[in-house]
Amino acid sequence: MAQAIDTTYENAVARRRNLRKLWLAFLLFPAMAILLTFVFLPMASAVWYSVYDWDGLVRGEFVGLANFQEVLFDARNNKFLINAFFNNVKVFIALMIVQNGLALTLALLLAREPKGYRFYQIAFFLPVILSTVIIGFQWKLFLNPIFGLVNTLLRNVGLGDWAMPWLGLPETALGSMILVNAWHWVGFPTLVFLAAIHRIPKDLIEAARLDGASEWMIARDIIWPLMAPAVTIIVVLTFIGSFNWFEIPYIMGGLEGAPAYSTDMLGLLFYRTAFGSVSAGNSDFGTGSALAVLIFIFIFTFSTIATRYLTSREVELS
Amino acid sequence: MATIELRDVTKDFGGVQVIHGANLSIEDNEFVVFVGPSGCGKSTLLRLLSGLEELSSGEIHIDGERVDHLPPARRGLAMVFQSYALYPHMTVFQNMSYALKVAKKSKQEIEAKVHAAAEILQLTELLDRKPKALSGGQRQRVAIGRAIVRDPKVFLFDEPLSNLDAKLRVQMRIELTNLHQQLQSTMIYVTHDQVEAMTMADKIVVMRNGHIEQVGAPLELFNKPVNKFVAGFIGSPAMNFFQGKIISANEGAYEAQLDNGAQFKFKTKAGLLNAEDKIDLGVRPEDLQPNQDGSGKIVGKATAVERLGAQTYVYLSSPIKESMIIHHAGDLDVQSGEEIEVSFNLESCHLFGPDEQRIEFDG
Amino acid sequence: MSTMNKKSGDLGTWLMHIFLGVNAVIMLYPIIMMALSSFKTNKEIFSSPFSLPQSFSLDNFAVIWNETNVPRYFINSTIVTGLSVLVLLVVGTMAAYALSRYKFKGNIMISLFFLSGLMLPLRLAIIPLFIQLKTLGLVDNLLGLICIYTAMSLPATVFIMTGFLRSLPSELEDSARMDGASEFRIMVEIMVPLITPAMVIAGIYNAVPIWNDFFFPLIFIQSPEWKTLAQGLTAFFGEYSINYGVLYAGLTLAALPIMLVFIVQSRRFIAGMTAGAIK
Ligand SMILES: Nc1ncnc2c1ncn2[C@@H]1O[C@H](COP(=O)(O)OP(=O)(O)OP(=O)(O)O)[C@@H](O)[C@H]1O
Ligand SMILES: [Mg+2]
């Protein structure tokens, strides 16, 4: 009898536990299923696909690392790869200096909450919310050699010699696009930096000021080290963004990195390899996947190393 | 109408046992207070009772029925939380009626019950406000009202007054005691404030490190603490302890020596203590008096004096003990730094053996 | 930092204002020019590019409304963004709720699973994704885009929502349990209403990039009737490549809705869009 009663209690408890498991499964299942199907599965497949030969949408034979070899060492591909890679490197370095350097300056100034503080925030952030397509086309129109506002402006202020087909010359095309990108995004790091600065306790800065530190010393010795986590994030995001750079060069220079591949990027090269183009020939999912895997490994490795390195110089604020 | 019984209740969190076999009976209509130092498991025990935590082993019976498999709401309990836990996005009325709404009670019934409870707690004016627009004391009342509305067999309170200022706390203490009388239901109240425990409880449960140390009426605990811990915990200011050892044991007649050399004799059951056993002699601050009437005498220097008019506290430093406290009813003209003599009677002392358990004097 | 010395008049302050002001002009002027040019005729754009338009004629906009697919693109973008964000917030909040409010075996593993999703650049898996969607019949289909955007943005959403949900006191939940509410009810009636601001932030964080994206439509959408706004603009640019007034009007029209919302809700927008980068 006592035995029988005991099991009813255990059953009741077990039922409650099962119900809880079911509830948790209900909460977690949809998100996990969606993520698995549309992110993890394709990512894994990319690796899988890269070791096969492909004929259009049809998978052919297992070819081992042949696709990787083709991407890396085939004389024709190799030339494009190296050119695109170094263009991405240039983009990264230039954005770090122009975009993030300007952002840091703006954030330090805004942190002093000058008159018009809200207005400046909105003004700097406004382009960030716009689509790259809009930005790209808008600047393409502005940079038009004949009717573009940029050249017209230069002529009007007497700098007519400087007017040039910005996007048409290999020397200026990439630089122009980088500046457009900086114009588009500078508000983002600015406000991330600003939020990080605002998070530094005010007394720390006031104490330094009472100690007689100059504004420059405060920025260098207090604010800069304490905003390190934000710097880490922005550096890593800039790195990933630079090596995934696609939209601006695609819209402003086209799929072939015009002029003369001076604005060619890994992203464009990948697109051409995978889906076919004049220079890359027919669509080839095998070499395309191999290139994607290589780009991924590169970005992943370097952003992990960078995160490690940058995080090690962060100071805990508590 | 609710009796509660805990049988060998244990709880562990990821292998760490925080309740070690608690046994406890609570009578109908009793006001029971759990006290103990922070982290001793009071809240955990309350949450086990409420059903918010699952037992690791043991049984809980309410009114003779086993309930430990039931979800919280089906145990007929209501709980008032330390942070009040009012739903910030709901008005006072919605807060108080939420449980009834969940239980699908009729609109009229909900209205009636909420208004009745609001009446008792003087909340009628505030029913349309959100918690943010209430003072601490008002929020407290809403939290209690939310419990009352459900007509529970048992009220559970987890340090409900600790977020209030001192004056409000005294006032709410009295209101809660009145409420208990008015509602005639069982209440279990967790606090680490022993004044609250002493003033409100019918029965106090003293806990330490997940063990129930003693259960009893407030004065029973005060007068006959079962061990050194309870003795030190109950009573304010805390009891003074003097260390010493047994120097001779002879058929229930003992002789002991305190660390300063003072000796005393006492009788108790034979065989309880042996020579060389360590003992503690506890003296309450109010049993140490600045006169020479008692048999035990201590001379020391006052290191601090607090003269409140109706009572005086003197902190005394002496060779026997670095710091002890004296509580004198009435004013005492002592200056800090002055040397004074105090005395006490052995009969008013509490003796604890080597295992810190109470040893009753015999005759 | 409002206590920093704001002595106006000294040279440093002047330089700061000039620097900030020039930057603000650089940021705003191109957008204003774009908007102004959209009212101009081609001839006006060539002859007096910097002056105000002679009249605020809506002819260019009328061309877009009557002769192009832009309104259609607009509707498609709205559908894709709206549904993606809706599904994201529901599904993401559910998962975040489980991870932040319950202790269970595997909690850490599943959290890491979502977290690792943050680091996978889905663009590089575009080939398998293409084949996969093709087999599912989701190529050239708005539903395909919705699936991709939802999946892609889930990790960040779960991450953001978990942070907010963790900050809610557990006593609220306990209190609702004592009141007899089911776990489902606790989530829907007690906890979720308290994090609606967080959901707005997460919503903006996701909606803006989805609305603006053109990479995935570029690959997955071919038919004009399913193109999204950002993608559709490229087609439109090919078609009207010499009619500058119309082009500017198209850009302005595409930028307008999001800019209006931004100006009204700038605080939330900034909080939302930087949510992933600020711990
Ligand atoms: N959910 C939990 N997981 C792990 N350990 C817990 C949990 N809840 C409580 N504990 C541990 O159990 C012990 C008892 O905690 P409990 O909250 O019951 O103490 P308490 O007596 O209420 O203390 P206080 O007076 O500070 O409220 C503590 O050591 C605590 O760290
Ligand atoms: Mg507690």
Side-chain angles (χ1 to χ4, degrees):
Chain A
M1 187 65 197
Q3 200 64 35
I5 289 170
D6 267 351
T7 53
T8 45
Y9 288 116
E10 268 148 32
N11 287 345
V13 172
R15 211 169 30 240
R16 269 178 77 188
R17 286 199 187 133
N18 285 338
L19 211 66
R20 207 182 90 117
K21 274 190 199 141
L22 222 65
W23 164 241
L24 287 177
F26 164 75
L27 289 176
L28 287 165
F29 178 77
M32 291 180 73
I34 293 175
L35 199 58
L36 269 177
T37 317
F38 294 104
V39 173
F40 283 84
L41 183 60
M43 286 304 295
S45 309
V47 179
W48 175 244
Y49 287 7
S50 67
V51 291
Y52 281 88
D53 197 24
W54 284 81
D55 184 15
L57 284 172
V58 184
R59 199 176 73 209
E61 280 170 45
F62 177 79
V63 294
L65 297 178
N67 288 327
F68 289 91
Q69 202 171 0
E70 202 181 324
V71 172
L72 285 171
F73 305 115
D74 176 275
R76 211 174 61 107
N77 292 337
N78 172 280
K79 194 182 70 200
F80 283 114
L81 183 68
I82 291 176
N83 172 53
F85 175 77
F86 281 104
N87 281 338
N88 282 112
V89 173
K90 280 182 212 161
V91 171
F92 173 62
I93 294 171
L95 287 180
M96 281 299 295
I97 297 168
V98 180
Q99 179 176 307
N100 295 344
L102 177 62
L104 184 62
T105 317
L106 292 174
L108 284 169
L109 294 177
L110 284 180
R112 313 179 49 148
E113 299 191 358
K115 259 205 201 86
Y117 167 75
R118 292 280 323 151
F119 166 76
Y120 287 131
Q121 278 194 354
I122 293 175
F124 299 158
F125 206 75
L126 190 58
V128 175
I129 60 158
L130 296 180
S131 171
T132 316
V133 181
I134 298 177
I135 306 281
F137 280 126
Q138 178 194 353
W139 280 96
K140 209 171 160 179
L141 290 176
F142 287 166
L143 290 169
N144 182 300
I146 303 159
F147 324 111
L149 292 177
V150 174
N151 282 348
T152 315
L153 188 71
L154 287 171
R155 282 186 213 108
N156 286 359
V157 296
L159 291 171
D161 291 349
W162 288 29
M164 57 180 89
W166 298 97
L167 295 172
L169 299 175
E171 299 80 39
T172 52
L174 183 58
S176 308
M177 290 183 196
I178 289 170
L179 284 178
V180 168
N181 191 82
W183 180 84
H184 184 190
W185 282 106
V186 69
F188 184 81
T190 302
L191 291 186
V192 171
F193 289 150
L194 183 62
I197 298 173
H198 275 315
R199 201 160 290 191
I200 300 171
K202 280 180 191 136
D203 3 351
L204 267 178
I205 288 159
E206 259 148 46
R209 189 164 292 126
L210 287 178
D211 288 343
S214 67
E215 292 302 315
W216 161 246
M217 282 160 76
I218 290 172
R220 189 194 57 191
D221 299 336
I222 312 248
I223 298 179
W224 173 249
L226 290 181
M227 65 187 284
V231 175
T232 306
I233 288 170
I234 292 300
V235 170
V236 172
L237 287 180
T238 307
F239 179 79
I240 296 173
S242 302
F243 282 88
N244 277 328
W245 214 39
F246 180 83
E247 276 91 341
I248 288 275
Y250 176 85
I251 290 164
M252 298 181 77
L255 202 49
E256 303 280 342
Y261 294 99
S262 65
T263 62
D264 198 15
M265 297 289 144
L266 289 173
L268 295 174
L269 179 63
F270 165 61
Y271 187 98
R272 295 199 304 268
T273 316
F275 297 102
S277 76
V278 187
S279 65
N282 286 337
S283 159
D284 184 345
F285 281 6
T287 42
S289 296
L291 181 54
V293 170
L294 288 172
I295 297 175
F296 174 66
I297 291 173
F298 172 77
I299 293 179
F300 184 81
T301 314
F302 274 82
S303 47
T304 312
I305 293 173
T307 312
R308 282 273 163 77
Y309 169 72
L310 292 167
T311 319
S312 67
R313 59 169 276 275
E314 287 175 9
V315 213
E316 275 298 313
L317 239 192
S318 60
Chain B
M1 258 291 289
T3 62
I4 299 173
E5 207 172 317
L6 304 188
R7 292 186 199 157
D8 295 323
V9 167
T10 71
K11 174 69 186 174
D12 61 275
F13 286 113
V16 184
Q17 192 153 14
V18 295
I19 300 290
H20 308 265
N23 284 292
L24 182 66
S25 320
I26 293 169
E27 305 297 320
D28 191 20
N29 282 352
E30 234 173 0
F31 197 114
V32 178
V33 176
F34 294 175
V35 281
S38 193
C40 69
K42 309 177 294 284
S43 299
T44 306
L45 198 57
L46 201 69
R47 291 167 60 81
L48 288 171
L49 241 170
S50 69
L52 290 170
E53 298 282 358
E54 245 177 66
L55 299 188
S56 296
S57 71
E59 294 177 11
I60 298 174
H61 296 252
I62 295 179
D63 280 339
E65 267 182 65
R66 191 168 169 188
V67 297
D68 47 66
H69 59 297
L70 294 177
R74 289 187 36 210
R75 299 186 183 192
L77 316 167
M79 186 151 169
V80 176
F81 294 86
Q82 179 172 4
S83 65
Y84 317 141
L86 301 181
Y87 310 128
H89 55 302
M90 298 186 189
T91 63
V92 170
F93 181 89
Q94 286 165 334
N95 262 285
M96 286 172 69
S97 60
Y98 188 66
L100 301 176
K101 195 179 123 195
V102 170
K104 299 206 169 72
K105 296 279 194 264
S106 74
K107 258 214 165 92
Q108 297 93 307
E109 189 181 348
I110 292 177
E111 288 271 338
K113 284 202 162 147
V114 171
H115 280 108
E119 195 75 24
I120 297 176
L121 295 162
Q122 295 146 33
L123 288 170
T124 313
E125 317 278 82
L126 307 174
L127 283 176
D128 291 329
R129 292 215 197 152
K130 292 255 174 83
K132 218 194 279 173
L134 299 178
S135 71
Q138 290 167 335
R139 284 179 207 178
Q140 175 67 72
R141 265 186 255 273
V142 176
I144 296 170
R146 198 163 60 167
I148 292 178
V149 163
R150 293 181 41 203
D151 236 337
K153 291 192 265 189
V154 184
F155 285 87
L156 308 175
F157 297 91
D158 193 353
E159 309 205 26
L161 306 185
S162 61
N163 286 344
L164 299 177
D165 64 43
K167 206 172 145 201
L168 254 178
R169 209 173 330 176
V170 174
Q171 187 190 331
M172 284 307 295
R173 208 158 76 197
I174 294 166
E175 282 187 30
L176 271 177
T177 315
N178 291 341
L179 197 69
H180 177 232
Q181 256 139 35
Q182 201 175 337
L183 297 175
Q184 292 290 317
S185 51
T186 310
M187 291 189 175
I188 302 179
Y189 186 102
V190 167
T191 177
H192 51 229
D193 177 346
Q194 52 121 348
V195 178
E196 274 175 28
M198 295 297 282
T199 51
M200 299 168 86
D202 296 322
K203 184 194 262 176
I204 294 180
V205 177
V206 183
M207 296 183 63
R208 173 171 60 160
N209 290 339
H211 293 277
I212 293 181
E213 297 283 327
Q214 187 172 5
V215 179
L219 285 181
E220 190 185 327
L221 264 59
F222 184 81
N223 293 327
K224 287 197 185 314
V226 296
N227 57 28
K228 190 180 163 193
F229 173 76
V230 176
F233 195 80
I234 300 288
S236 170
M239 186 182 279
N240 300 297
F241 292 103
F242 304 108
Q243 287 176 343
K245 65 177 183 205
I246 302 292
I247 46 178
S248 81
N250 192 358
E251 290 291 312
Y254 295 87
E255 207 167 336
Q257 185 177 34
L258 298 183
D259 286 356
N260 71 336
Q263 298 189 350
F264 62 95
K265 290 180 181 164
F266 63 94
K267 278 186 188 161
T268 183
K269 262 196 223 117
L272 263 182
L273 293 162
N274 298 313
E276 294 300 311
D277 275 354
K278 285 213 180 323
I279 54 150
D280 284 280
L281 191 66
V283 187
R284 292 214 179 270
E286 46 277 11
D287 293 332
L288 277 173
Q289 288 305 320
N291 56 36
Q292 285 156 31
D293 303 347
S295 52
K297 294 186 173 51
I298 296 166
V299 179
K301 206 163 94 178
T303 56
V305 183
E306 291 169 354
R307 290 170 68 179
L308 304 176
Q311 46 209 334
T312 310
Y313 299 96
V314 183
Y315 296 82
L316 209 62
S317 172
S318 77
I320 181 177
K321 201 168 162 44
E322 220 160 83
S323 167
M324 65 187 107
I325 181 167
I326 295 157
H327 176 199
H328 178 75
D331 189 34
L332 192 62
D333 189 7
V334 179
Q335 301 302 316
S336 181
E338 211 174 295
E339 194 144 290
I340 61 164
E341 183 171 4
V342 292
S343 74
F344 59 91
N345 279 314
L346 196 57
E347 295 80 70
S348 61
C349 290
H350 305 260
L351 183 68
F352 302 98
D355 54 359
E356 303 200 335
Q357 295 303 307
R358 179 184 187 83
I359 291 172
E360 207 66 58
F361 292 126
D362 208 3
Chain C
M1 231 144 292
S2 52
T3 42
M4 279 203 171
N5 48 353
K6 278 195 225 164
K7 271 181 294 170
S8 55
D10 67 57
L11 186 67
T13 313
W14 274 108
L15 284 177
M16 174 177 78
H17 276 291
I18 290 172
F19 186 73
L20 290 173
V22 166
N23 265 287
V25 169
I26 294 177
M27 303 312 282
L28 293 180
Y29 189 68
I31 294 174
I32 294 169
M33 283 311 294
M34 172 178 85
L36 287 181
S37 302
S38 67
F39 297 104
K40 295 179 178 178
T41 61
N42 241 8
K43 215 172 104 206
E44 236 184 312
I45 288 175
F46 297 142
S47 59
S48 49
F50 296 104
S51 55
L52 286 174
Q54 278 159 3
S55 71
F56 282 90
S57 111
L58 295 177
D59 293 350
N60 293 330
F61 293 94
V63 171
I64 289 173
W65 185 256
N66 297 325
E67 295 175 24
T68 72
N69 266 333
V70 169
R72 174 80 213 193
Y73 304 152
F74 206 93
I75 293 170
N76 289 340
S77 272
T78 310
I79 293 173
V80 168
T81 309
L83 284 182
S84 301
V85 171
L86 184 75
V87 176
L88 255 175
L89 286 181
V90 171
V91 169
T93 305
M94 277 165 60
Y97 191 79
L99 294 175
S100 59
R101 304 306 306 185
Y102 296 95
K103 272 196 239 163
F104 57 92
K105 244 187 274 158
N107 187 319
I108 293 174
M109 282 304 295
I110 296 175
S111 300
L112 285 177
F113 168 79
F114 282 111
L115 213 59
S116 64
L118 274 178
M119 299 190 302
L120 298 179
L122 191 58
R123 289 170 168 224
L124 293 175
I126 197 82
I127 296 170
L129 199 57
F130 185 80
I131 294 175
Q132 206 173 308
L133 290 194
K134 188 113 192 156
T135 33
L136 292 172
L138 293 176
V139 168
D140 210 14
N141 186 331
L142 293 185
L143 195 59
L145 286 182
I146 293 170
C147 289
I148 295 173
Y149 289 139
T150 307
M152 205 170 68
S153 321
L154 258 176
T157 308
V158 171
F159 190 65
I160 295 173
M161 295 312 291
T162 306
F164 281 104
L165 280 164
R166 279 226 174 90
S167 68
L168 295 180
S170 59
E171 285 198 346
L172 276 181
E173 215 176 311
D174 288 340
S175 177
R177 265 185 209 129
M178 293 299 295
D179 278 346
S182 63
E183 298 298 300
F184 177 76
R185 234 176 143 156
I186 293 174
M187 177 170 96
V188 172
E189 286 183 359
I190 307 292
M191 304 305 260
V192 168
L194 296 177
I195 51 153
T196 38
M199 292 178 84
V200 173
I201 284 179
I204 291 172
Y205 179 82
N206 293 307
V208 174
I210 293 175
W211 175 269
N212 286 340
D213 182 61
F214 109 108
F215 181 79
F216 288 101
L218 179 70
I219 286 161
F220 290 106
I221 305 290
Q222 283 109 33
S223 328
E225 77 246 51
W226 299 125
K227 284 190 171 157
T228 62
L229 187 58
Q231 174 198 21
L233 279 179
T234 50
F236 160 78
F237 256 70
E239 236 171 286
Y240 287 81
S241 56
I242 44 155
N243 197 341
Y244 291 89
V246 176
L247 293 183
Y248 278 119
L251 291 178
T252 307
L253 209 58
L256 199 63
I258 200 161
M259 271 192 343
L260 286 182
V261 187
F262 172 66
I263 287 164
V264 177
Q265 288 282 322
S266 64
R267 233 174 256 270
R268 284 207 165 132
F269 250 73
I270 291 171
M273 290 206 49
T274 53
I278 297 173
K279 280 189 234 175

